[in-house]
Amino acid sequence: PVQEQTMVTDKSEIDPEAAAYGDTIHRLLELLSSQRLSTTQAAIEAQRALHNVPESIDFDACWRDALAVFLEPELQACFNSAHYNKAFNEVNVNAIDTEGKARFGIIDRLVVTDDEALIIDYKSRQNLSGDLAQIAEEYREQLSRYRDAVKQLWPEKTARAAILFTAQRRLV
């Protein structure tokens, strides 16, 4: 039988400007974490790469936000290569959900150490109120599928998943 393939996340209910801001933050974090560029070089490259950012998006604010996340001391295990063996950005994964449907998703960042594979999903929602751990629960099923897929790649490692709330610079 043909399996239905759907995205893990549904962006249909997201405000287009918020989505553009989130996409910009994602792309900047990917560029910063590539380890190929200094932060100054990355800023120049980012401006070139992101020339199609909508005018409604404040690129300088996005850059400051992404750089603050990248340099946050509490998040160095996610972005500083001295803390991990390998790291990957924008990892495509396929998994079968409990109903037998194929699900496609993209892991924003995957950090691999000797013992662990840490799945990081960026959420750039601003103006969040409440407990971030409770908000992260909304993504439990998505992260569970990501964990299952990563566990197939590295069965000997502990697969852990977390949400990185970029505006709050917190990994939950």
Side-chain angles (χ1 to χ4, degrees):
V2 175
Q3 293 177 332
E4 179 183 334
Q5 186 161 335
T6 57
M7 288 295 292
V8 171
T9 56
D10 178 13
K11 292 189 176 184
S12 63
E13 297 179 14
I14 299 175
D15 169 51
E17 191 166 311
Y21 170 83
D23 289 345
T24 302
I25 293 292
H26 276 69
R27 288 162 50 194
L28 289 171
L29 285 171
E30 182 179 356
L31 196 73
L32 282 165
S33 62
S34 70
Q35 302 296 321
R36 293 175 287 142
L37 306 171
S38 71
T39 55
T40 303
Q41 291 170 313
I44 294 166
E45 258 329 284
Q47 289 175 348
R48 286 190 197 131
L50 301 175
H51 66 277
N52 60 347
V53 172
E55 287 186 25
S56 62
I57 300 300
D58 181 349
F59 177 83
D60 291 334
C62 286
W63 173 252
R64 284 190 303 272
D65 291 349
L67 190 59
V69 169
F70 181 72
L71 296 175
E72 172 64 39
E74 296 296 318
L75 299 174
Q76 289 306 291
C78 304
F79 296 109
N80 183 331
S81 61
H83 296 274
Y84 54 78
N85 299 337
K86 294 179 184 177
F88 308 90
N89 292 308
E90 302 296 316
V91 178
N92 294 321
V93 294
N94 289 299
I96 305 299
D97 70 12
T98 56
E99 298 171 1
K101 292 181 183 175
R103 296 290 192 127
F104 170 78
I106 300 173
I107 296 173
D108 295 326
R109 186 143 174 91
L110 178 59
V111 177
V112 182
T113 66
D114 289 339
D115 304 320
E116 178 180 76
L118 174 61
I119 299 150
I120 303 167
D121 192 58
Y122 303 144
K123 298 298 177 200
S124 55
R125 292 165 44 185
Q126 299 174 311
N127 305 319
L128 285 176
S129 59
D131 180 22
L132 292 180
Q134 185 175 0
I135 295 167
E137 283 296 312
E138 295 174 26
Y139 305 100
R140 177 192 300 256
E141 187 178 330
Q142 172 189 357
L143 295 178
S144 177
R145 284 194 291 269
Y146 288 172
R147 260 192 313 275
D148 291 346
V150 166
K151 198 69 177 155
Q152 291 177 23
L153 295 172
W154 289 286
E156 75 285 0
K157 296 185 186 299
T158 300
R160 188 168 66 98
I163 300 290
L164 174 50
F165 291 99
T166 61
Q168 295 76 20
R169 296 192 298 274
R170 294 257 329 274
L171 189 66
V172 178

